[in-house]
Amino acid sequence: MDKLIVKNLSQLKKQVDAGMIIESDNALHKTNKRRLILRKNTVSIISKEYIEESSQYYRNRKYDEEGRMYVEYFTDFGKARDVRFRENGDIEFLAHEVDSHGHKVMDPSPDFKKGDVWLTVRIFKN
C-alpha cells in the first residue's frame, strides 16, 4: 500500500477518502491501530474497527452486512496550528492549551506538555 503524503490540512481533507486505511499511534491510550476509513466529513475521518462480542463498546456497536460487530472512530482534523505534517507522510497531532470555563487546560490530557506529539497518523491508499 502506498502512503498518502500531504503537506497541510487542506490537502488531507481533499485527498483522504473512503476505502483508505488509517494507522494511528496514540500516546494517550498507548495503542497502535489500523482501521478502514468509512467516510469523512468537514471535521473528521470516520473509520471502523471490528470488535469482539464481549467488548466494552456495546453502546456504540454497529453491524456490517455480514453481521460482524464494529465501532466507528472519529479522528478530528483539529486546527492547523496543532498538527504537523512530516515529509515521510506522518501526521502528528500536538498537545495544546484550550480554554475550559476560564482556565487553560492541556488537550488531550494534562500528562502532556504543549507541543508534545500525542497522536501520529498515517494514511494508506488501498
Side-chain angles (χ1 to χ4, degrees):
M1 286 188 282
D2 292 331
K3 190 189 278 189
L4 181 67
I5 298 178
V6 294
K7 295 181 180 180
N8 55 50
L9 275 179
S10 180
Q11 287 182 0
L12 177 61
K13 289 177 181 183
K14 288 177 186 171
Q15 294 182 36
V16 71
D17 213 351
M20 293 180 167
I21 301 294
I22 184 169
E23 179 182 274
S24 62
D25 293 323
N26 188 319
L28 178 64
H29 298 294
K30 296 174 180 37
T31 58
N32 176 283
K33 298 189 177 197
R34 287 189 124 188
R35 297 182 300 273
L36 176 68
I37 296 174
L38 297 174
R39 62 190 180 281
K40 65 182 175 184
N41 60 29
T42 57
V43 296
S44 301
I45 297 170
I46 299 102
S47 58
K48 75 175 175 182
E49 177 182 350
Y50 287 102
I51 57 174
E52 300 296 320
E53 187 67 38
S54 62
S55 174
Q56 65 195 18
Y57 300 107
Y58 65 93
R59 288 187 180 156
N60 300 323
R61 67 184 172 203
K62 297 185 177 196
Y63 295 90
D64 68 10
E65 53 281 342
E66 297 171 11
R68 295 181 296 170
M69 192 177 354
Y70 70 92
V71 292
E72 291 184 347
Y73 281 86
F74 291 74
T75 304
D76 291 345
F77 293 118
K79 297 188 186 298
R81 69 176 178 258
D82 303 321
V83 182
R84 185 167 45 211
F85 294 85
R86 297 292 189 185
E87 289 182 16
N88 68 356
D90 286 4
I91 303 164
E92 299 174 335
F93 291 79
L94 310 176
H96 57 282
E97 288 181 333
V98 295
D99 185 48
S100 177
H101 306 288
H103 298 92
K104 296 282 185 187
V105 296
M106 195 58 61
D107 186 39
S109 164
D111 296 335
F112 294 95
K113 294 180 185 141
K114 186 175 182 176
D116 284 352
V117 175
W118 71 273
L119 178 67
T120 301
V121 167
R122 295 165 204 89
I123 307 286
F124 296 93
K125 301 172 189 174
N126 216 355

